[in-house]
Amino acid sequence: MRKILLAALALLTTIGVQAQLRLGDKSPKSKLHMAEMAITNLYVDTVDENKLVEDAIRGMLDKLDPHSTYSTAKEVKAMNESLEGSFEGIGVQFNMMEDSLVVIQTITNGPSEKVGILPGDRIVEVNDTAIAGVKMSKEEIMRRLRGPKGTKANLKIVRPGIKGKQPFTVIRDKIPVYSLDASYMIRPRTGYIRIGNFGATTYDEFMKALNRLQEQGIDDLILDLQDNGGGYLQAAVNVINEFLTKGDMIVYTNGRSTPRHEYRSDGGTTPYRGRVIVLVNEFSASASEIVAGAIQDQDRGFIVGRRSFGKGLVQRPIEFADGSMIRLTIAHYYTPSGRCIQKPYTKGDQKDYAKDLDNRLKNGELTNADSIHFADSLKYQTLREHRTVYGGGGIMPDYFVPLDTTKYTKYHRQLAAKSAIINANLKYIDANRKSLKKRYTSFEDFNANYEVPQSFVDSVIANGEASEVKPKDDEELATTLPYLRTQLKALVARDLWDMNEYFQVMNETNDIILKALEVLKK
């Protein structure tokens, strides 16, 4: 009897769905709704309705431009943390070494530093759950360490030289996420600021750094936007505002359903009037290109590096009740001279778009400026000196710096991909942190006198061999070693101090930065 009732119910459901399908109107919206209802109710196997809808959304967006995307609630949260400038947790930078979480740095004045956790400590338990030696993913460990502000994280820590597990109770708090990677005097009277992305706190961070450099008497500024993939438009506008005079155009946006909107300078709060050079490369995109385009079009300074990525599309976030989000392209943005720097794309062809940088390398565009060709229809003039600039695919620098393919050998790339470099660095720092801190009381002393020991280099090579990574020949090994030694020194500086010191070491081998310094000298 029960089987008969269930069969009858299923039949009624089927008839009801079919009736609704027939009665539905002919609009695309109704058609989409009816298709989802039919699959959910009539398909032969059980389906996940949430995933079905998400796949449908992704399918629609995939047929549009490459930058209209859908993100799950989890992805949105992770994305917002990097842009909003903070997350809630215990305040440590860590890395995994042989299935153990090793603290690299504690955040200054953060909750972990306040209770006495030190670099080199190993966190082995969180709230009575072992996280060491259990093959737990890095993402799962981060989930356990993070949590709402004010909650407790009961940790067990193993400290080198002390027996047993030491208990620490950390009260979670807001942890700042900085978008400025470095700021320092790179040469006498020349300041350097590197912005990693444009987030909610970027402008405040930038102004603090700029004011500090101006107090040290800079005449020139190098603004490094290499590898900066963008972020908030308004953050970029706020930064460029400090370089231009009142009324100068910064950028404008225009779309089919979005009226033209102009962003103009108000002259800044404490404007910088010295010389400026902006650095870009093939990974500089979106908000970075807004800054570079405004500096170039307004003849405010020079651009040095390689042609930027070419993202001139504006996305509007459309949030759903479950925390997921569509970022839908609604407009193009244009530089002050009227350039749209969005590189060409075919709607729905994501693969070809993704291969653009590979194609640039194959075509010689990253190594030879003469390989880059612009149509005359894309020719524009800067607003003051009437120099020729081009639209249609990124910001072309005033001074092109070719990619040195001999410096970054295949052997080095494989060592990095197999974590041979970072793992060797973790072990080296773990064993030598105290002696290095004692010997080098300042970064200046370290930078002038520290030399990477051969045993450190040998450990990287041994790690590579353990992962079946070997140089092609002695020549490739010899070519790799100078850059590898610089990188190892920079990693040690980062772990003893911070990212600021890391870039001070690495920048002295960066061809784009060295070219900028040469331009300023001329």
Side-chain angles (χ1 to χ4, degrees):
M1 185 66 180
R2 185 170 180 273
K3 289 183 178 179
I4 294 173
L5 287 172
L6 289 172
L9 183 61
L11 179 61
L12 287 172
T13 300
T14 301
I15 293 170
V17 171
Q18 290 175 335
Q20 288 186 58
L21 289 171
R22 285 194 300 270
L23 291 172
D25 63 50
K26 294 181 180 180
S27 70
K29 182 171 65 175
S30 176
K31 188 175 181 180
L32 184 64
H33 172 69
M34 290 301 178
E36 186 273 331
M37 186 173 66
I39 295 169
T40 302
N41 289 281
L42 302 178
Y43 185 64
V44 63
D45 296 321
T46 303
V47 295
D48 182 334
E49 191 172 1
N50 288 327
K51 188 175 185 304
L52 195 67
V53 171
E54 288 184 348
D55 287 345
I57 294 172
R58 286 193 174 97
M60 288 188 288
L61 295 175
D62 282 346
K63 301 301 179 184
L64 305 179
D65 67 277
H67 297 291
S68 289
T69 58
Y70 171 81
S71 302
T72 65
K74 184 178 180 181
E75 291 166 341
V76 170
K77 186 174 185 295
M79 179 173 59
N80 286 344
E81 282 175 353
S82 65
L83 292 176
E84 292 297 339
S86 69
F87 64 91
E88 294 176 348
I90 68 169
V92 296
Q93 297 175 22
F94 71 89
N95 219 319
M96 301 303 297
M97 186 170 69
E98 296 176 351
D99 255 4
S100 292
L101 184 156
V102 180
V103 176
I104 303 299
Q105 293 283 359
T106 54
I107 303 300
T108 304
N109 296 321
S112 288
E113 184 188 70
K114 289 177 181 177
V115 299
I117 293 175
L118 301 173
D121 285 350
R122 287 160 170 76
I123 302 176
V124 296
E125 289 183 23
V126 181
N127 293 332
D128 298 323
T129 299
I131 63 170
V134 294
K135 302 288 185 183
M136 188 177 288
S137 70
K138 191 172 182 178
E139 290 73 21
E140 177 62 18
I141 291 172
M142 288 176 64
R143 187 185 69 79
R144 293 178 181 276
L145 293 175
R146 293 184 178 185
K149 177 181 178 181
T151 59
K152 293 181 179 180
N154 295 310
L155 310 179
K156 293 288 180 63
I157 284 177
V158 173
R159 179 168 292 170
I162 298 177
K163 291 183 179 180
K165 301 175 183 177
Q166 308 298 311
F168 286 85
T169 298
V170 181
I171 308 299
R172 296 183 179 96
D173 203 345
K174 279 197 172 293
I175 308 302
V177 178
Y178 298 109
S179 56
L180 247 69
D181 293 328
S183 64
Y184 65 99
M185 296 290 288
I186 193 168
R187 294 290 187 273
R189 308 199 72 79
T190 300
Y192 170 90
I193 296 177
R194 179 185 174 96
I195 301 178
N197 64 62
F198 286 95
T201 61
T202 298
Y203 175 69
D204 291 339
E205 293 175 49
F206 171 77
M207 289 308 299
K208 286 179 183 177
L210 181 61
N211 289 335
R212 193 163 53 242
L213 291 172
Q214 286 182 308
E215 288 171 2
Q216 296 178 60
I218 62 169
D219 293 323
D220 307 318
L221 177 68
I222 295 174
L223 181 60
D224 192 349
L225 302 182
Q226 294 179 84
D227 304 323
N228 183 321
Y232 291 148
L233 169 64
Q234 189 60 53
V237 168
N238 290 344
V239 167
I240 195 64
N241 187 55
E242 298 298 324
F243 294 93
L244 302 181
T245 55
K246 188 173 182 179
D248 286 347
M249 175 78 77
I250 296 173
V251 65
Y252 67 91
T253 62
N254 201 10
R256 179 178 64 88
S257 300
T258 307
R260 173 170 168 145
H261 181 75
E262 296 182 352
Y263 297 83
R264 291 183 177 273
S265 172
D266 63 10
T269 53
T270 54
Y272 170 73
R273 296 295 179 242
R275 295 190 299 175
V276 60
I277 287 184
V278 178
L279 312 183
V280 297
N281 64 8
E282 58 275 13
F283 299 108
S284 305
S286 191
S288 300
E289 296 172 296
I290 290 173
V291 174
I295 288 286
Q296 191 175 52
D297 282 3
Q298 295 288 358
D299 291 298
R300 179 62 181 84
F302 292 117
I303 312 301
V304 175
R306 290 184 290 278
R307 182 163 64 100
S308 61
F309 183 86
K311 180 182 180 294
L313 301 175
V314 182
Q315 282 74 48
R316 173 177 292 170
I318 300 169
E319 299 178 7
F320 296 107
D322 64 352
S324 60
M325 176 194 292
I326 284 177
R327 288 176 55 79
L328 185 67
T329 297
I330 60 165
H332 290 87
Y333 68 70
Y334 298 84
T335 68
S337 67
R339 288 185 286 168
C340 177
I341 56 174
Q342 173 61 42
K343 60 187 176 184
Y345 63 88
T346 301
K347 288 184 179 180
D349 191 348
Q350 308 283 1
K351 289 184 179 179
D352 184 64
Y353 191 80
K355 290 180 180 177
D356 176 63
L357 295 183
D358 288 337
N359 292 334
R360 290 193 201 183
L361 181 60
K362 290 176 183 176
N363 296 336
E365 292 186 36
L366 300 183
T367 54
N368 191 336
D370 292 337
S371 298
I372 304 172
H373 304 288
F374 295 98
D376 286 343
S377 60
L378 301 174
K379 190 180 292 186
Y380 293 80
Q381 300 291 315
T382 61
L383 301 183
R384 287 174 170 77
E385 298 180 10
H386 308 294
R387 295 180 298 123
T388 298
V389 290
Y390 292 92
I395 298 293
M396 184 65 186
D398 302 296
Y399 294 90
F400 177 83
V401 181
L403 177 67
D404 186 352
T405 54
T406 62
K407 182 186 295 184
Y408 311 102
T409 64
K410 181 180 179 180
Y411 177 53
H412 181 272
R413 293 195 299 272
Q414 290 177 327
L415 288 173
K418 294 291 185 179
S419 300
I421 299 170
I422 195 66
N423 287 339
N425 175 68
L426 283 169
K427 289 184 178 179
Y428 177 79
I429 283 292
D430 199 42
N432 297 282
R433 185 186 297 273
K434 285 186 178 179
S435 61
L436 289 168
K437 277 285 192 182
K438 186 176 181 180
R439 182 175 178 183
Y440 301 105
T441 56
S442 69
F443 169 71
E444 289 70 26
D445 181 23
F446 170 89
N447 199 26
N449 299 303
Y450 175 80
E451 292 185 5
V452 175
Q454 185 60 41
S455 58
F456 192 2
V457 176
D458 291 341
S459 67
V460 175
I461 296 172
N463 283 352
E465 290 176 349
S467 300
E468 300 182 349
V469 174
K470 296 180 181 180
K472 178 178 61 178
D473 49 35
D474 290 343
E475 183 180 350
E476 185 178 34
L477 176 61
T479 304
T480 302
L481 288 179
Y483 184 77
L484 177 61
R485 286 183 180 277
T486 301
Q487 184 182 20
L488 292 175
K489 180 176 179 177
L491 288 169
V492 173
R494 179 201 66 181
D495 293 345
L496 295 180
W497 288 279
D498 211 335
M499 289 301 294
N500 198 63
E501 287 70 25
Y502 170 87
F503 281 106
Q504 288 191 55
V505 176
M506 290 301 297
N507 283 348
E508 295 304 315
T509 67
N510 187 300
D511 293 334
I512 291 178
I513 291 174
L514 297 178
K515 181 65 176 179
L517 291 169
E518 179 188 320
V519 170
L520 286 172
K521 191 177 290 186
K522 289 180 180 179

